[in-house]
Structure formats: C-alpha cells, structure tokens
Amino acid sequence: MMNVRNKWILSGSLALSLLFSAALPLSAAQAAASPTVLQSSTTSITEYEQFLQEKFGIAFQQGTVTKGQFIQQVAKVLHLGAAKSQPVFSDLGADSPYYSSAAALYEQGIITSLKIEADKPLQATSALFIAVKAAGLAELAHSYPQSKTTDALKQIGYSPAGLSLSAAQELAAAVHSGLLPSSFYKEVKGKAASADLAEALLVQILSIKGEYKHYIGYTSDADIYGKLADAYNTSDIIQSPELQTVVDTALKQNLVTGYNLKDNRFDANFVDSLTLTYGHDNLKHAVQLIGLLRSEGIRAKVQFEPKTSAFIYLKEWGEPVQTENYKVVQIENGNYIAYAKEYDLKFEFANAADKARFQPVILQYAKKNSEDQTGLIASSWWQPLYYSATKLDDYIQITNNKITGAGHYYAQSFSLNEPSAAIAEGFKKLGTGLDIQSYPIWVDKPFFNYLNGESL
C-alpha cells in the first residue's frame, strides 16, 4: 500500500480531498481499552475538570455545590431531553431552572422523591444515591446481602444502622464498583459534596456507561505493543453500502480523489486541546512510532481507530495486486477504486507542551525526504498525516467534510478550504438522509502540500 500511495501522491493529480475510515465491532484489544473506573488524584481531578468543561461546558465553582446544580449536570451528561410527564414536586416549581432536569431524572427513576431541595448544599450521600442509579448500577446495588453491604460501608466509615436497606445497598455498590473513587472515602459521611467529588462522580457515571475516554493504553505501558497488535490484527476493511454509494460515485465524478470510512464506536473521545490524530497503514510503523515517543519521553494515551481508505487507482499504474488488506473494484473507465486497510492513532498528551513536541519528532524521524534516506522509522511516508481539532502553531488549516447518518459508520473528507463548499454540496446531491458537516482542522505542512498538489 505504501508504494501505491507514493505513486498516487507523485502522479501529479491534484488531490482536492481525502476521506478517512474505521472498521468492525470491538476487538479484544478494544474491549481491554474500554474506559475503566478511574481512581481520583490531583492529576485525574484536573483531567475530569478539563473533560467536563470541553465536552459539556460543565464547571462547578469551588465551594458549595447545590443539589439542583448536580441534578442539572447529571441530566446534561446523560443527554436527557424533556420529560414526557410533568411531575409535581413539593418544593420545585415548573419555572425553576432545575425543573426540567429534575423531571427528566425523576422519569428515569434516578430521582425517587418529589422533594428536591434544589437550593440546598449537595450532600455526598445524596450525590451517590443519584450517581448509582444514573450509572445504571441500581440492580447490582439491590442484590447486595446485609453482610456484603456492611463490609463495604465500613470502608467509608458508615454503619447500615439508620439507613434504609436500599440506601445502604446503593452506598455499598458505589464503593465496590469504583463509582466512588477511594480518595473520596473520607469525604462522604455527614459531609457536603465538594466540587471535586461532584465532577468525579459525573465522570464515573460516563465511564461506567462507556461514554468517557476510550484507549488501549499509554505509550509508556509495558503491554502497549501487544494491545496495538491485537487491535490492528482484528481490524479489517470495512464496508458501509449506504455511504459508499455516495462516496464511490463522488470518486467516479472526480468530486474527490479519495475517501475513508470510520466507525464511531472506536472514537477515543479525548479532549481536543490535548489530542492529535496520526494516520498510517502499517503495523510496524505504529509499533516503532510508540517506541519513538517513549524514547523522546512523551507519554500519552493511545487509541487505535481502524479505518478503510478508498481512492482511484489509475489503470496506467499496472495490474493491482489484491491482498486481505487491499481490494480493488474496476469501474467503467477502466480505472479501479482501491480499498485499503489503514488506521488512525489518537494521542492525548498530558499537556500542550508535549502535543507541540510531537511534530518536530515526526519531521526528524518519520518524514521521508529522499529515496535513500536513512535514520527513519519503518515505512515512513513522504507526506505523513497528523492533525489537530484545535489550532496549533506551524500547522495549516484545512476543512473536514464529515458525512454521518449511516448508523455508526461515517466518512470524513479532508480538503483545501476553497473547494470544501463544492464538495459538501456535491455529497448532498448524491445522497439523501445523510448529514454533511464541514469544519476546520489543522494539519502538518507536508500533508497540506500534498492536498495542494505538491510532491513534498
């Protein structure tokens, strides 16, 4: 695939756009990458705060958190819409800013009382009762026998005496499940919930429901290479007939020169300001890239996102060789549409400085500048592809035209800014019931040059 891609890049055809892709159901490696319930620390508290702020616009003020505020934010992270019913709360009118959230949680059985006490300080135990049900752990909690409940409550300094059975069970399940991080055990009994605890519980709700960050590990993990290999080896060329009808037609009409498909079930859900996406097709390259980052002291979360890349293979390039990871279909003019197994590696760095360090490392060790160049990691490309969803110095803005509406699959088209409107309009004409969104991303200069029809 690398030789073909080089041939495509250097053929002189102007690449107006490139689309991206991902594949199949969760592999063993991806299952291992499912978000785990995190134990709180100073670092993770900061991480929780940043995640909630960037993804949901949630920011608790340090100090008192009211119950109404917590209810409102739980409804937000659960993406709950307006309740179908209109419960009559004893102390909360329909004109309250908290009413719609309380009604939605009540309808879901997450709040079980018609007395809300929205303006009172949020008690830690109240937050846990809400969080257990919001995280979908109620059945687990209510399965607890007395002995198991008592043992769990001891860890947070509680006795079941004075608590209803269901309340005691829910606190116990919060402890055992990890919903309540161990660093907060001493902040429960008889205390109001801090902003840190409220944020941690929101993130834990998301984590338990599989809606927090997804990653196979860190660059520094001893087993990261095995997980990377498992993820690559269990991925495959993917197909989405509904999307491919549109984008294959776009290829035939020269609206685009390539596209990729991806699967949102693999979405890393990282914080954009700390994240870069790096695309390639070769496992050895990915392994060596991880080793390269380790050698440079760069520690980052890693998610493997499979994708399938499709592009026009010109008949003058010769008879294509098909493999398990590379398929072609001949089209009416004698050319082919080639479908190649590729991947995106998502990196979430610990800080903005490490994100900025990534590019100099790639340009030195993973950017090919001549045929006989040495000192590069395996299968380095002439035009490496990596990009950020947020603006970065020395990166160039282009446009991503993303097509959704075909279940969990989507296509995304990278183009120069100028032709992006025509590309998006062309997609709209070719397909119905699909959503086309265009938004800026920032790519490395070599890839921008490639889109601009330049060889390097």
Side-chain angles (χ1 to χ4, degrees), residues 167-218:
Q169 289 172 321
E170 288 171 15
L171 291 181
V175 172
H176 281 167
S177 67
L179 175 66
L180 176 65
S182 60
S183 58
F184 288 104
Y185 282 2
K186 294 181 179 179
E187 298 185 29
V188 176
K189 188 175 182 180
K191 294 184 179 181
S194 64
D196 289 342
L197 175 57
E199 289 170 350
L201 290 178
L202 291 177
V203 169
Q204 302 297 68
I205 290 168
L206 290 168
S207 181
I208 289 171
K209 294 180 74 67
E211 296 174 11
Y212 187 49
K213 300 175 183 179
H214 298 262
Y215 49 98
I216 61 174
Y218 285 82

Side-chain angles (χ1 to χ4, degrees), residues 10-280:
L10 299 176
S11 66
S13 61
L14 178 64
L16 291 180
S17 75
L18 185 66
L19 288 139
F20 289 78
S21 77
L24 61 157
L26 297 179
S27 67
Q30 294 295 99
S34 297
T36 54
V37 180
L38 304 174
Q39 295 302 304
S40 181
S41 65
T42 301
T43 300
S44 60
I45 288 171
T46 302
E47 186 174 343
Y48 297 165
E49 183 179 3
Q50 186 172 23
F51 181 88
L52 292 171
Q53 177 64 51
E54 288 201 18
K55 298 290 185 179
F56 297 97
I58 293 174
F60 290 112
Q61 297 297 319
Q62 290 299 320
T64 302
V65 177
T66 68
K67 189 176 179 183
Q69 290 170 338
F70 186 68
I71 286 171
Q72 195 172 53
Q73 306 305 6
V74 170
K76 183 179 287 188
V77 301
L78 293 180
H79 304 288
L80 295 180
K84 295 178 181 179
S85 59
Q86 299 291 314
V88 179
F89 297 111
S90 63
D91 59 350
L92 190 69
D95 58 347
S96 167
Y98 305 122
Y99 178 84
S100 61
S101 298
L105 295 189
Y106 185 81
E107 186 172 73
Q108 296 292 321
I110 295 170
I111 291 174
T112 57
S113 172
L114 290 172
K115 185 176 182 180
I116 302 300
E117 300 182 325
D119 294 324
K120 290 187 177 181
L122 174 68
Q123 296 301 303
T125 49
S126 295
L128 288 171
F129 297 146
I130 292 171
V132 164
K133 291 184 278 289
L137 299 178
E139 293 82 3
L140 170 66
H142 299 153
S143 74
Y144 271 42
Q146 187 65 56
S147 59
K148 193 173 181 179
T149 300
T150 301
D151 288 344
L153 292 183
K154 286 179 181 177
Q155 298 182 54
I156 56 174
Y158 257 94
S159 165
L163 293 172
S164 69
L165 175 60
S166 63
Q169 289 172 321
E170 288 171 15
L171 291 181
V175 172
H176 281 167
S177 67
L179 175 66
L180 176 65
S182 60
S183 58
F184 288 104
Y185 282 2
K186 294 181 179 179
E187 298 185 29
V188 176
K189 188 175 182 180
K191 294 184 179 181
S194 64
D196 289 342
L197 175 57
E199 289 170 350
L201 290 178
L202 291 177
V203 169
Q204 302 297 68
I205 290 168
L206 290 168
S207 181
I208 289 171
K209 294 180 74 67
E211 296 174 11
Y212 187 49
K213 300 175 183 179
H214 298 262
Y215 49 98
I216 61 174
Y218 285 82
T219 54
S220 56
D221 290 346
D223 61 352
I224 188 62
Y225 301 113
K227 289 180 177 178
L228 186 62
D230 286 346
Y232 178 84
N233 291 331
T234 55
S235 67
D236 205 348
I237 292 175
I238 59 169
Q239 298 181 30
S240 173
E242 185 176 356
L243 283 178
Q244 287 176 270
T245 297
V246 173
V247 285
D248 280 351
T249 302
L251 281 176
K252 295 175 185 179
Q253 294 181 357
N254 295 317
L255 179 65
V256 297
T257 58
Y259 72 82
N260 295 163
L261 300 171
K262 296 193 73 171
D263 183 337
N264 63 22
R265 292 174 296 179
F266 293 95
D267 185 4
N269 203 25
F270 288 161
V271 171
D272 287 342
S273 62
L274 297 177
T275 298
L276 284 172
T277 303
Y278 185 95
H280 208 278

Side-chain angles (χ1 to χ4, degrees), residues 376-395:
L376 301 178
I377 64 174
S379 299
S380 292
W381 282 354
W382 295 88
Q383 289 89 2
L385 167 59
Y386 49 94
Y387 61 92
S388 170
T390 58
K391 186 176 181 180
L392 281 177
D393 292 340
D394 300 322
Y395 287 59

Side-chain angles (χ1 to χ4, degrees), residues 308-440:
T308 293
S309 178
F311 59 91
I312 292 294
Y313 182 102
L314 301 178
K315 57 185 175 182
E316 56 261 35
W317 292 351
E319 189 69 23
V321 177
Q322 301 201 63
T323 68
E324 182 181 1
N325 297 332
Y326 185 74
K327 307 293 184 182
V328 298
V329 174
Q330 193 161 29
I331 55 179
E332 293 82 357
N333 63 3
N335 292 328
Y336 300 83
I337 296 178
Y339 305 93
K341 170 178 164 176
E342 296 190 0
Y343 59 80
D344 282 336
L345 293 182
K346 283 276 179 66
F347 295 107
E348 185 185 74
F349 301 92
N351 50 60
D354 279 353
K355 181 175 176 177
R357 289 175 59 203
F358 183 85
Q359 173 155 272
V361 172
I362 297 303
L363 294 180
Q364 182 173 353
Y365 298 106
K367 161 72 174 81
K368 191 173 183 179
N369 295 304
S370 65
E371 286 289 355
D372 57 354
Q373 187 174 353
T374 60
L376 301 178
I377 64 174
S379 299
S380 292
W381 282 354
W382 295 88
Q383 289 89 2
L385 167 59
Y386 49 94
Y387 61 92
S388 170
T390 58
K391 186 176 181 180
L392 281 177
D393 292 340
D394 300 322
Y395 287 59
I396 302 175
Q397 181 184 322
I398 62 171
T399 299
N400 183 14
N401 305 293
K402 185 176 181 180
I403 311 172
T404 59
H408 46 79
Y409 293 115
Y410 64 94
Q412 55 182 39
S413 169
F414 292 179
S415 72
L416 300 176
N417 295 324
E418 185 176 358
S420 65
I423 291 170
E425 187 60 31
F427 285 146
K428 290 177 183 178
K429 292 178 180 178
L430 293 173
T432 58
L434 298 175
D435 181 38
I436 314 296
Q437 295 178 315
S438 296
Y439 52 87

